[in-house]
């Protein structure tokens, strides 16, 4: 184990579901995960330090530092099931580092006998998205069928470039170690932190976990996204008209 | 062993020939290998995952993923000899990774007591090739003589830049571990996936293995290559004429 | 241990304070550390060679070489406390190397049961600084309170980009291994070796260690900095006037 | 040991001198070493393959390949002393790799109880050199004095940028492991393979080893260098005159 893992506690968990919530396109994964872990009152139990993160100390507003890290949090008895979250503000910067670190974290998770892996991310479209869908990529047909029932869509072979980063690697490790796994990707322009896309993913996870959550915070932020989208569209339309007029005149 | 090797089975093989079929110039190696493994009804027996591949999950049309990998396939009793194929869509992206991964795969192959190594690749000419030849580089004079008998050509010291990638490293490891080895390079423009060049290499391997294979699929694809080549030549000729006329007029 | 550590001696030290003095912005850390180690008549006891430094032999004026390295020096009984200094002209060039090497040095320091870590650096402002302040980042509130008493300032969340290099990593390792730690950053333009900023940091360390030191050397060099600053200001003012006149005329 | 070392033999040697002869500026080190090893009828006894070389197979004129490597050669009883040469066409491409590989080779050499290290290189001046001098950098004053007696010059602190590559690292390892070591640098423009500079270094080594060698081959090649130098000077002079005239006219 090349990482330094500092445990706050070693909780006893029963066949937990593992949810990877690291930052990425539109920060959908991180926003979704942070909201969910917060709503489910998750507790941090391990901090993972690695040479594969930027070698940097980060300050809070009291100038208390911590080294760049990823963290494992847990929630017990979420409608009868335990959940482990991978939370953090950083991903590794090299392919080798990404693979090695995820593999080390996976070995911790396998000790916890995780029963399912859900990795979270954004599906970047490069254009404004009014009603973001949630796309999926899976390790087997059974889990695909289950999530299709929750409304996840599976456009054949998409994303065609594959899935990179921790979302891709944990999905791959799920395949390798025979843990049913899915990557949930919220549709997003990718141009800003996309709470609306995150809310779409949260709604899938609510169905999966069978819990009720207060979405007010996300709804408020989503409405801000709607306003931004509306303004951008307005500007685009105006520009279009001008140009059209130009062609006529 | 830094790689993760997942075995479907551990076949019992007798002094197998090892054929490396990874992608490269004109994709000649991969095309040749995929055709041969398919024709010889090879079976996958091991999947190799490595930090040295892009850390990425790849989707099929069902959105079932697998991590980037290389695979070992085998065919038993090919005219009395067993064959192991190294099949995949990826090569390592760094020199260090290439060396390390090939070395790890080689240690598996040495356990199988491989009796010969054939690595496959393209020999890029940068120009259209009408009748692609097959060039060779070897670990010793005995194997050179054998393959010269099958029609492989050995222009002295060519390719002068050496042989890079898995084709070069397995050839080198053959030398180091005293396994007679050859790299077969199909002549190719290198501008597209070159089935015609692959067919030239296949024909050498048919002689080597003493088998009969239905080449219809490759012949069809080669004819498409011929059509492309003809069209490019036509365009080139026309351009030349125009320019000539220009000089005159 | 991947480094080569050559010991001149293995001094017996009691709960030493560790001070990291490697080069960085305005070379404030190195200047501060070199002055302090010199004034406290520190002795070298270990030289650390690493693949993570530039692989280079460095010559002195007699053309006697040494490999690029970092060194551990110690001073016994500095007002009752022992001190270890990390001295050198090089830092690692990669994130991975920085983390790994600091971790290896930390394991030596933990064997010495260090009781506190002080890392030294510059806080680059990009503009001339007349009266450099000293900023701090810490691992806990207790050490923050102590150093605030010495005059260290803690502008909330600054530097917002975090602290990189050995200063950041040892601070982070202090956090990980529960050693109270502070990074002292002397305010500096960052445009030259800033002895004046170093003197500001030295003055904090004098209070911390409760020692009296002859600052004449630093005062002389600081006055040179003042002269440079004055000249630059003069030139800037003149240029401003010219431009202003240009706008009027 | 991360390298693959293939032994042809394990010669019994008595306190051998080690001479590093890898390529570099003006290829002075390689030319010197190849000439010396050839003249002293050295025999190859080990081939070193490493992930830190370009992962490439190299062909000879028979299309027989070998992997990129470095080699150890030996000469017994050179005027009473044994010599080991490090011969090759490649150096590592990264700092980390350079340090690691030299360290691995050094561990082989320490087993042979080498009594002295001589590393060879060029000292690039960027201008034509009529009578190349040989400069030195050493691990201690005693070896400096000895080589000064052979005519090696020691301009204080030069080269000021230090010595990079295997020449620098073996010198540094000599210092670390207390083996008296010198780097001999032939003065060279660095613009071409400089046999004349190599001959200057060879002449130092002839004195060191107390042997007589037939220098005809090097003298012939040096005269070619003289011709090139003369032509370049002629062209430069002519160009200078033209420009001067231009200024007048």
């Amino acid at each position: 184990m090349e990482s330094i893992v500092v445990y706050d506690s070693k909780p006893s968990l029963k066949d937990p579901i593992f949810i990877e919530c690291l930052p990425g396109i539109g920060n959908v994964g991180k926003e979704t995960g942070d909201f969910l872990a917060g709503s489910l009152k998750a507790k941090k139990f391990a901090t993972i330090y690695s040479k594969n993160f930027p070698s940097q100390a980060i300050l809070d507003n009291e100038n208390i530092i911590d080294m760049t890290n990823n963290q494992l949090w847990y929630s017990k008895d979420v409608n009868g099931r335990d959940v482990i979250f991978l939370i953090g503000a950083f991903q590794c910067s090299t392919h080798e580092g990404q693979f090695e670190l995820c593999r080390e974290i996976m070995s911790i998770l396998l000790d916890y006998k995780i029963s399912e892996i859900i990795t979270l991310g954004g599906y970047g479209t490069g254009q404004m998205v009014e009603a973001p869908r949630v796309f999926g990529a899976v390790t087997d047909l059974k889990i695909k069928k289950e999530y299709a029932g929750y409304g996840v869509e599976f456009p054949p072979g998409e994303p065609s470039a594959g899935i990179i980063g921790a979302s891709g690697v944990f999905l791959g490790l799920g395949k390798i170690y025979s843990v049913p796994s899915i990557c949930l990707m919220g549709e997003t322009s990718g141009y800003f932190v996309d709470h609306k896309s995150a809310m779409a993913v949260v709604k899938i996870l609510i169905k999966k976990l069978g819990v009720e959550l207060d979405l007010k915070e996300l709804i408020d932020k989503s409405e801000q996204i709607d306003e931004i989208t509306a303004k951008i569209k307005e500007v685009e339309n105006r520009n279009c008209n001008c140009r059209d007029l130009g062609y006529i005149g």
Side-chain angles (χ1 to χ4, degrees), chain A residues 83-126:
Chain A
V83 182
I84 295 176
F85 300 92
L86 181 64
I87 301 281
F90 296 91
Q91 290 214 20
C92 300
S93 48
T94 66
H95 284 296
E96 290 88 348
Q98 189 74 264
F99 185 88
E100 281 304 299
L101 181 60
C102 290
R103 193 177 173 182
E104 290 186 10
I105 295 174
M106 189 70 178
S107 95
I108 298 175
L109 298 172
L110 289 173
D111 284 347
Y112 272 107
K113 296 186 194 307
I114 49 168
S115 55
E116 188 173 323
I117 293 173
I118 303 170
T119 73
L120 304 178
Y123 182 101
T125 61

Side-chain angles (χ1 to χ4, degrees), chain A residues 191-203:
Chain A
Y191 295 149
F192 41 75
V193 176
D194 195 338
H195 302 282
K196 197 170 175 183
S197 180
M199 189 164 67
V201 181
V202 166
K203 283 178 177 171

Side-chain angles (χ1 to χ4, degrees), chain A residues 49 56-69:
Chain A
Y49 302 94
Q56 203 169 340
I58 304 299
L59 292 80
D60 68 13
N61 274 327
E62 292 281 0
N63 288 18
I64 309 292
I65 65 94
D66 204 356
M67 194 96 148
T68 46
N69 61 59

